[in-house]
């Protein structure tokens, strides 16, 4: 029996369409409230997904650098 990989995703990502793409790759997506990042893989990789508009806005309001700092503090990669 082959185990499917599991990715934790922030519940706010449910409407992004990413879950359907991952399911096509035999990945299980579990939604929950994440404190840092939008996706966690293997407990050591964290991903923050941004649209172009959100990326630009997060640079101007300083969120991007704060998010990157926290991601580096709490996750290996």
């Amino acid at each position: 029996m082959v185990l499917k990989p599991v990715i934790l995703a922030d519940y706010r990502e449910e409407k992004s369409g990413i879950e359907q793409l991952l399911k096509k790759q035999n990945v299980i997506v579990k939604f929950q409230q994440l404190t840092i990042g939008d996706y966690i893989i293997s407990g050591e990789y964290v991903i923050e997904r941004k649209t172009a508009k959100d990326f630009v806005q997060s640079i101007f309001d300083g969120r991007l650098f704060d998010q990157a700092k926290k991601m580096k503090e709490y996750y290996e990669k």
Side-chain angles (χ1 to χ4, degrees):
M1 181 169 123
V2 177
L3 294 176
K4 291 183 178 184
V6 176
I7 294 178
L8 299 178
D10 189 273
Y11 72 95
R12 293 167 285 206
E13 290 292 311
E14 284 186 86
K15 295 179 183 171
S16 70
I18 300 295
E19 177 185 20
Q20 289 74 27
L21 295 172
L22 291 170
K23 281 184 174 181
K24 288 180 182 178
Q25 301 299 317
N26 279 333
V27 174
I28 297 169
V29 179
K30 293 186 177 181
F31 290 99
Q32 62 186 53
Q33 184 174 354
L34 299 180
T35 306
I36 299 169
D38 293 320
Y39 299 92
I40 298 173
I41 303 170
S42 301
E44 62 182 278
Y45 295 90
V46 63
I47 298 166
E48 176 70 30
R49 188 182 74 84
K50 294 207 177 288
T51 62
K53 182 179 177 181
D54 187 34
F55 179 73
V56 170
Q57 184 61 44
S58 65
I59 291 173
F60 285 114
D61 65 21
R63 269 184 303 129
L64 181 68
F65 305 106
D66 184 52
Q67 288 171 327
K69 180 182 171 190
K70 287 179 182 172
M71 290 167 65
K72 186 174 180 350
E73 282 178 30
Y74 292 96
Y75 292 93
E76 188 175 327
K77 302 175 182 170

